[in-house]
Amino acid sequence: MPNEIYSYTVAERLMRYVQVDTEADPNSSTVPSSLKQLNLSRLLVDELKLMGVTEVELDANGYVYATIPGNVTDKKVPVICFCSHVDTAPDCSGNNVKPILHKQWNGSDIILPDDTGIVISPNEHPYLKERIGDDIITASGLTLLGADDKAGVAIIMNVAQLLIQHPEIKHGDVKILFTPDEEIGRGVDHVDMKKLSADFGYTLDGGERGHLEGENFCADSCKIVFHGVSAHPGYAKGKMVNAQKVAAYFMSMLPYNTNAPESTSGYQGFVHPVASGGELETAWVQFIIRDFKEEGLKQLTNMLHDLAEQATKKFEGASFTLDVKEQYRNMKQVLDNHPHVMGFAVEAYKRSGLQPIITNIRGGTDGARLSFMGLPCPNIFTGEMAIHSKQEYVSVQDMMKAVDVCLQILQIASE
Ligand SMILES: [Zn+2]
C-alpha cells in the first residue's frame, strides 16, 4: 500500500505533461532537436519554483537542473540524482495526445475511442493482466501516450513535492535532471557533469513494477568492405571479380538461427547487418554487434572476420577490410565498482514491499552513458508499457510505487 499521508500527484501530472507535444526530431541538428520540447521543460521549471525549489535552471541546451538541499546536518550524505527525459519517440505521433484515465480497470479490453480499431487487450499484454483493479492511463487511439518518459518526469516531480512537504523525510542533497532528445540517442550529449555534481543517480525510465535494470549491451559498429577487380564486361573472362557477389556470398553465410537479433534473447549477443550497398569494384556491409561482455563482442567480430575471409577465398583476387568502432559499454562495468548504488535500490524496493527483479536491457540507455561519464546510474521502473505505440499504457499505482522507491533510496542513503 502507498503511504497514506503522502499526496500522490503522479496521475494528474502525467495527464497534463503528455498533452505537451515533445516529439524529438532525428532529422534536426538543433539542440534540442525540436524546440517544442522546451515547452515542457519551462513548465517543469515553473512548477518546481512554485513548490519552493529555489535552485532551478533551464540551460541553453534545454536541460533542466534542480537541487533540493539536504536536511541531514550531522553527517556526510551522498548527493543523489534522479533523471528522466522530456521528449517522446518520433516512431509514433505525440501531437495532440488525449490521455484517458480508466479508473479501477476491470480487466476487459480497452478500446480507444478515437480509433476503435486500436484495442489494448490483456490477452496481448500479459503485464496489463497483472494490473486489474489499478487505475490505467492510455492515449485515445491516434497517438502514443508518452508515459515514456513523462511517467518518469511525473514521478520525480511528485518526489520533489513530497520532499518539500515532508521535512521528516531525511535526505542529502537531491539533484533533478530532465533531458531532451533521449529517444534519438542524444539525451546526455550536453549534460554538464560539473553542474550536476552528484555522486550517483537513477534514471526513471523502466517498465514493469519491481524491475531494476543495472546492465545493458556492450555495443560496437562494424563495416566490412569487399574489393573486387573491374574489367570491361565483354572481355572480363578470367579477370573480373564482382565485389557485390563476394558480399552476397558473405551475407548468405551469416547465421540466422544463432547470433542474430531474430533468434536471441536474454544474455545472448548477436551480429546484425543494418545496411549494405556496392558496385562492381567495392561492396560494403554495415553491422551492429551486441553482447553483454566485451569478450563476446570480440568473438562475434572474429566470426565476421572468418566469414569474410571464407568469402574472399571463394573469389580469387577479392580482398576485404574490416573496421570496428566502439559505440557504448555495459554500465555493470561501472556499477560493480560502486555496489551501494544497486544495493540502495534493492533495499528501497524491499522496504516498498517489492521483490526486486534485476534485469538487463538489450540496448543502450542514457544511464549507461551517464555511468561512464562518472555518474553510476541504474534504471528504475515507472510502469510505462507498450512504449512508442498507440497501445502505450501506464498504471497509476506503479507510478506511486516508484515514488515510494525514490523516497526510500534517499532515506536509506541518509542512514
Ligand atoms: Zn524512455
Side-chain angles (χ1 to χ4, degrees):
M1 279 299 285
N3 191 317
E4 273 157 30
I5 62 162
Y6 291 167
S7 55
Y8 292 91
T9 53
V10 274
E12 177 271 327
R13 287 181 188 283
L14 178 84
M15 305 270 284
R16 273 191 302 113
Y17 300 157
V18 298
Q19 291 179 59
V20 184
D21 180 1
T22 57
E23 198 173 311
D25 179 2
N27 300 315
S28 156
S29 55
T30 61
V31 182
S33 68
S34 57
L35 290 178
K36 58 190 176 184
Q37 294 179 56
L38 296 173
N39 294 335
L40 180 56
S41 302
R42 284 193 201 103
L43 178 74
L44 296 171
V45 167
D46 289 346
E47 291 188 6
L48 283 165
K49 283 183 180 161
L50 225 67
M51 279 177 202
V53 181
T54 50
E55 279 179 64
V56 196
E57 182 194 344
L58 173 61
D59 80 358
N61 294 316
Y63 289 67
V64 176
Y65 299 84
T67 306
I68 300 171
N71 57 14
V72 181
T73 47
D74 56 336
K75 57 184 171 234
K76 204 178 164 335
V77 177
V79 179
I80 297 178
C81 172
F82 294 116
C83 171
S84 57
H85 63 93
V86 298
D87 61 308
T88 62
D91 326 14
C92 182
S93 171
N95 183 241
N96 200 13
V97 174
K98 289 186 219 147
I100 301 170
L101 177 67
H102 308 264
K103 264 212 153 277
Q104 291 181 308
W105 172 64
N106 64 10
S108 59
D109 283 1
I110 301 175
I111 300 164
L112 299 182
D114 289 343
D115 180 350
T116 52
I118 308 287
V119 178
I120 310 176
S121 166
N123 297 324
E124 281 154 37
H125 298 269
Y127 179 69
L128 183 59
K129 217 175 207 162
E130 296 172 27
R131 302 267 64 89
I132 294 176
D134 280 10
D135 303 327
I136 303 294
I137 299 174
T138 68
S140 65
L142 301 179
T143 63
L144 50 64
L145 173 62
D148 175 12
D149 185 23
K150 288 162 187 170
V153 174
I155 289 161
I156 294 171
M157 291 295 283
N158 200 160
V159 167
Q161 174 198 7
L162 288 168
L163 289 177
I164 286 163
Q165 286 173 348
H166 294 275
E168 74 275 13
I169 303 171
K170 292 294 165 216
H171 61 89
D173 285 356
V174 178
K175 300 281 179 174
I176 293 172
L177 174 65
F178 295 129
T179 61
D181 290 332
E182 188 266 358
E183 297 289 1
I184 54 171
R186 304 178 201 163
V188 297
D189 285 3
H190 299 277
V191 173
D192 183 338
M193 299 305 286
K194 253 208 187 116
K195 194 182 285 177
L196 198 59
S197 71
D199 294 308
F200 54 90
Y202 300 90
T203 46
L204 272 293
D205 199 13
E208 297 183 21
R209 177 191 299 204
H211 282 198
L212 172 61
E213 295 166 334
E215 264 198 88
N216 60 283
F217 270 147
C218 289
D220 282 346
S221 70
C222 171
K223 188 174 189 176
I224 301 180
V225 181
F226 293 98
H227 301 277
V229 179
S230 80
H232 185 291
Y235 308 94
K237 189 172 179 184
K239 293 180 203 145
M240 181 190 281
V241 180
N242 191 325
Q244 298 169 99
K245 291 182 184 173
V246 185
Y249 184 77
F250 163 78
M251 290 278 255
S252 75
M253 289 190 292
L254 288 176
Y256 56 89
N257 51 10
T258 62
N259 297 330
E262 60 269 38
S263 59
T264 49
S265 60
Y267 278 100
Q268 297 166 315
F270 59 75
V271 296
H272 175 43
V274 286
S276 60
E279 305 159 348
L280 169 57
E281 266 193 311
T282 56
W284 54 270
V285 188
Q286 182 74 48
F287 284 92
I288 60 170
I289 307 177
R290 299 289 185 264
D291 198 272
F292 285 89
K293 294 207 166 86
E294 292 193 40
E295 189 49 41
L297 287 183
K298 266 188 212 128
Q299 285 168 6
L300 290 167
T301 309
N302 288 342
M303 178 189 76
L304 289 180
H305 191 277
D306 289 348
L307 293 176
E309 212 162 60
Q310 280 180 48
T312 47
K313 271 192 185 138
K314 179 94 181 164
F315 295 83
E316 211 192 315
S319 61
F320 74 97
T321 55
L322 182 152
D323 273 311
V324 177
K325 282 204 175 77
E326 180 174 324
Q327 291 185 309
Y328 53 81
R329 289 293 177 257
N330 187 346
M331 66 174 142
K332 190 171 189 295
Q333 296 173 6
V334 177
L335 294 178
D336 281 351
N337 296 329
H338 308 272
H340 57 283
V341 179
M342 285 292 277
F344 288 165
V346 165
E347 178 61 19
Y349 277 48
K350 287 182 184 159
R351 289 194 196 176
S352 305
L354 299 171
Q355 190 51 48
I357 301 163
I358 297 176
T359 56
N360 61 33
I361 308 163
R362 289 177 62 81
T365 71
D366 273 1
R369 289 181 62 200
L370 286 169
S371 293
F372 285 94
M373 287 160 74
L375 187 81
C377 199
N379 192 28
I380 292 174
F381 69 92
T382 67
E384 64 192 47
M385 296 297 294
I387 56 175
H388 304 193
S389 80
K390 292 173 185 169
Q391 278 97 355
E392 189 179 5
Y393 68 90
V394 65
S395 150
V396 173
Q397 282 71 19
D398 282 359
M399 290 193 285
M400 288 160 68
K401 265 289 174 207
V403 170
D404 290 350
V405 165
C406 293
L407 294 174
Q408 289 291 356
I409 286 174
L410 295 174
Q411 292 175 93
I412 292 163
S414 77
E415 280 166 12

Coordinates of all heavy atoms in Angstrom, one line a residue, residues 294-328:
E294 N 32.5 -7.5 -23.3 CA 33.4 -7.1 -24.4 C 34.1 -8.3 -25.0 O 34.3 -8.3 -26.2 CB 34.5 -6.2 -23.8 CG 33.9 -4.8 -23.3 CD 35.0 -3.8 -23.1 OE1 35.9 -3.7 -23.8 OE2 34.8 -3.0 -22.1
E295 N 34.3 -9.3 -24.2 CA 34.9 -10.6 -24.8 C 33.9 -11.2 -25.8 O 34.4 -11.6 -26.9 CB 35.1 -11.6 -23.6 CG 35.8 -12.8 -23.9 CD 37.2 -12.6 -24.7 OE1 37.9 -11.6 -24.3 OE2 37.5 -13.3 -25.6
G296 N 32.6 -11.1 -25.6 CA 31.7 -11.6 -26.5 C 31.7 -10.8 -27.8 O 31.5 -11.3 -28.9
L297 N 31.8 -9.5 -27.7 CA 31.9 -8.6 -28.9 C 33.1 -9.1 -29.7 O 33.0 -9.1 -31.0 CB 32.2 -7.2 -28.5 CG 31.0 -6.4 -27.9 CD1 31.4 -4.9 -27.6 CD2 29.8 -6.4 -28.8
K298 N 34.2 -9.4 -29.1 CA 35.4 -9.8 -29.8 C 35.2 -11.1 -30.6 O 35.6 -11.2 -31.7 CB 36.6 -10.0 -28.8 CG 37.4 -8.7 -28.7 CD 38.7 -9.0 -27.9 CE 39.1 -7.7 -27.1 NZ 39.3 -8.0 -25.7
Q299 N 34.5 -12.0 -29.9 CA 34.3 -13.3 -30.5 C 33.4 -13.1 -31.8 O 33.6 -13.7 -32.8 CB 33.6 -14.3 -29.5 CG 34.6 -14.8 -28.5 CD 33.9 -15.5 -27.4 OE1 32.7 -15.7 -27.4 NE2 34.7 -15.9 -26.4
L300 N 32.4 -12.3 -31.6 CA 31.4 -12.0 -32.7 C 32.2 -11.3 -33.9 O 31.9 -11.7 -35.1 CB 30.2 -11.2 -32.3 CG 29.3 -12.0 -31.3 CD1 28.3 -11.0 -30.6 CD2 28.5 -13.1 -32.1
T301 N 33.0 -10.4 -33.5 CA 33.8 -9.7 -34.6 C 34.7 -10.7 -35.3 O 34.8 -10.7 -36.5 CB 34.7 -8.6 -34.0 OG1 33.8 -7.8 -33.2 CG2 35.3 -7.7 -35.0
N302 N 35.3 -11.6 -34.5 CA 36.2 -12.6 -35.1 C 35.4 -13.5 -36.1 O 35.9 -13.9 -37.1 CB 36.8 -13.5 -34.1 CG 37.9 -12.7 -33.3 OD1 38.4 -11.7 -33.8 ND2 38.3 -13.2 -32.1
M303 N 34.1 -13.8 -35.7 CA 33.3 -14.7 -36.5 C 33.1 -14.0 -37.9 O 33.2 -14.6 -38.9 CB 32.0 -14.9 -35.8 CG 31.0 -15.8 -36.7 SD 29.3 -15.8 -35.9 CE 28.7 -14.2 -36.3
L304 N 32.8 -12.7 -37.8 CA 32.6 -11.9 -39.1 C 33.8 -11.9 -39.9 O 33.8 -12.1 -41.1 CB 32.1 -10.5 -38.8 CG 30.7 -10.3 -38.2 CD1 30.5 -8.8 -37.9 CD2 29.7 -10.8 -39.1
H305 N 34.9 -11.8 -39.2 CA 36.2 -11.8 -39.9 C 36.4 -13.1 -40.7 O 36.8 -13.1 -41.8 CB 37.4 -11.5 -38.9 CG 38.7 -11.2 -39.6 ND1 39.5 -12.2 -40.0 CD2 39.3 -10.0 -39.9 CE1 40.6 -11.6 -40.6 NE2 40.5 -10.3 -40.5
D306 N 36.2 -14.2 -40.0 CA 36.3 -15.5 -40.6 C 35.4 -15.7 -41.8 O 35.9 -16.3 -42.8 CB 36.0 -16.6 -39.5 CG 37.1 -16.7 -38.5 OD1 38.2 -16.1 -38.7 OD2 36.8 -17.4 -37.4
L307 N 34.2 -15.3 -41.7 CA 33.2 -15.4 -42.8 C 33.7 -14.6 -44.0 O 33.6 -15.1 -45.1 CB 31.8 -15.1 -42.3 CG 31.2 -16.0 -41.3 CD1 29.8 -15.4 -40.9 CD2 31.0 -17.4 -41.8
A308 N 34.2 -13.4 -43.7 CA 34.6 -12.5 -44.8 C 35.8 -13.2 -45.5 O 36.0 -13.1 -46.7 CB 35.0 -11.1 -44.3
E309 N 36.7 -13.8 -44.7 CA 37.9 -14.5 -45.2 C 37.4 -15.6 -46.2 O 38.0 -15.8 -47.3 CB 38.7 -15.0 -44.1 CG 40.2 -15.0 -44.4 CD 41.0 -15.1 -43.1 OE1 40.8 -16.1 -42.4 OE2 41.8 -14.2 -42.8
Q310 N 36.5 -16.4 -45.7 CA 36.0 -17.5 -46.5 C 35.4 -17.0 -47.8 O 35.6 -17.6 -48.8 CB 34.9 -18.2 -45.7 CG 35.3 -19.2 -44.7 CD 34.2 -19.9 -44.0 OE1 33.2 -20.4 -44.6 NE2 34.2 -19.9 -42.7
A311 N 34.7 -15.9 -47.7 CA 34.1 -15.4 -48.9 C 35.1 -14.9 -50.0 O 35.0 -15.2 -51.2 CB 33.1 -14.2 -48.6
T312 N 36.2 -14.2 -49.4 CA 37.2 -13.7 -50.4 C 38.0 -14.9 -50.9 O 38.5 -14.8 -52.0 CB 38.1 -12.7 -49.7 OG1 38.5 -13.1 -48.5 CG2 37.4 -11.4 -49.6
K313 N 38.2 -16.0 -50.2 CA 38.9 -17.1 -50.7 C 38.2 -17.8 -51.8 O 38.8 -18.3 -52.7 CB 39.1 -18.2 -49.5 CG 40.4 -17.9 -48.8 CD 40.7 -19.0 -47.8 CE 41.9 -18.6 -47.0 NZ 41.8 -19.0 -45.6
K314 N 36.8 -17.7 -51.7 CA 36.0 -18.3 -52.8 C 36.2 -17.6 -54.1 O 36.0 -18.2 -55.2 CB 34.5 -18.3 -52.3 CG 33.5 -18.8 -53.2 CD 33.2 -20.3 -52.9 CE 32.2 -20.8 -53.9 NZ 32.1 -22.3 -53.8
F315 N 36.4 -16.3 -54.1 CA 36.6 -15.5 -55.3 C 38.0 -15.0 -55.4 O 38.4 -14.0 -54.7 CB 35.6 -14.3 -55.2 CG 34.2 -14.6 -55.2 CD1 33.5 -15.0 -54.0 CD2 33.4 -14.6 -56.4 CE1 32.2 -15.3 -54.0 CE2 32.1 -14.9 -56.4 CZ 31.4 -15.3 -55.2
E316 N 38.8 -15.7 -56.2 CA 40.2 -15.4 -56.3 C 40.4 -13.9 -56.7 O 39.9 -13.5 -57.7 CB 40.9 -16.3 -57.2 CG 42.4 -16.6 -56.8 CD 43.2 -17.3 -57.9 OE1 42.6 -18.3 -58.4 OE2 44.3 -16.9 -58.1
G317 N 41.3 -13.2 -56.0 CA 41.5 -11.8 -56.4 C 40.8 -10.8 -55.5 O 41.1 -9.6 -55.5
A318 N 39.8 -11.3 -54.8 CA 39.0 -10.5 -53.9 C 39.7 -10.2 -52.6 O 40.5 -11.1 -52.2 CB 37.6 -11.1 -53.6
S319 N 39.4 -9.1 -52.0 CA 40.0 -8.8 -50.6 C 39.0 -8.1 -49.8 O 37.9 -7.7 -50.3 CB 41.3 -8.0 -50.8 OG 41.0 -6.8 -51.4
F320 N 39.3 -7.9 -48.5 CA 38.3 -7.1 -47.7 C 39.0 -6.4 -46.6 O 40.2 -6.7 -46.2 CB 37.3 -8.1 -47.1 CG 37.8 -8.9 -45.9 CD1 37.6 -8.5 -44.6 CD2 38.5 -10.1 -46.2 CE1 38.1 -9.3 -43.6 CE2 39.0 -10.9 -45.1 CZ 38.8 -10.5 -43.8
T321 N 38.3 -5.3 -46.1 CA 38.8 -4.6 -44.9 C 37.7 -4.7 -43.9 O 36.5 -4.7 -44.2 CB 39.2 -3.2 -45.1 OG1 38.1 -2.5 -45.7 CG2 40.4 -3.1 -46.1
L322 N 38.0 -4.7 -42.6 CA 37.0 -4.7 -41.5 C 37.4 -3.6 -40.5 O 38.5 -3.6 -40.0 CB 37.0 -6.1 -40.9 CG 36.0 -6.4 -39.8 CD1 35.7 -7.9 -39.8 CD2 36.5 -6.1 -38.4
D323 N 36.4 -2.7 -40.2 CA 36.7 -1.7 -39.3 C 35.6 -1.7 -38.2 O 34.4 -1.8 -38.4 CB 36.6 -0.3 -40.0 CG 37.9 0.1 -40.6 OD1 38.9 0.0 -39.9 OD2 37.9 0.5 -41.8
V324 N 36.1 -1.6 -36.9 CA 35.2 -1.7 -35.8 C 35.3 -0.3 -35.1 O 36.3 0.2 -34.9 CB 35.7 -2.8 -34.8 CG1 34.8 -2.8 -33.6 CG2 35.6 -4.2 -35.5
K325 N 34.1 0.1 -34.7 CA 34.0 1.4 -33.9 C 33.2 1.1 -32.6 O 32.2 0.5 -32.6 CB 33.3 2.5 -34.6 CG 34.1 3.1 -35.7 CD 33.6 4.6 -36.0 CE 34.5 5.3 -36.9 NZ 34.4 4.8 -38.4
E326 N 33.8 1.6 -31.5 CA 33.1 1.4 -30.2 C 31.9 2.3 -30.1 O 31.9 3.5 -30.5 CB 34.0 1.7 -29.0 CG 33.4 1.6 -27.7 CD 34.3 1.7 -26.5 OE1 35.5 1.3 -26.6 OE2 33.9 2.3 -25.5
Q327 N 30.7 1.8 -29.7 CA 29.5 2.6 -29.5 C 29.2 2.9 -28.1 O 29.3 4.0 -27.6 CB 28.3 1.9 -30.2 CG 28.4 1.9 -31.7 CD 27.2 1.4 -32.4 OE1 26.7 0.3 -32.1 NE2 26.7 2.1 -33.4
Y328 N 28.9 1.9 -27.3 CA 28.8 2.1 -25.8 C 29.1 0.8 -25.1 O 29.2 -0.3 -25.7 CB 27.4 2.6 -25.5 CG 26.2 1.8 -26.0 CD1 25.8 0.7 -25.4 CD2 25.6 2.2 -27.2 CE1 24.7 0.0 -25.8 CE2 24.5 1.5 -27.7 CZ 24.1 0.4 -27.0 OH 23.0 -0.4 -27.5

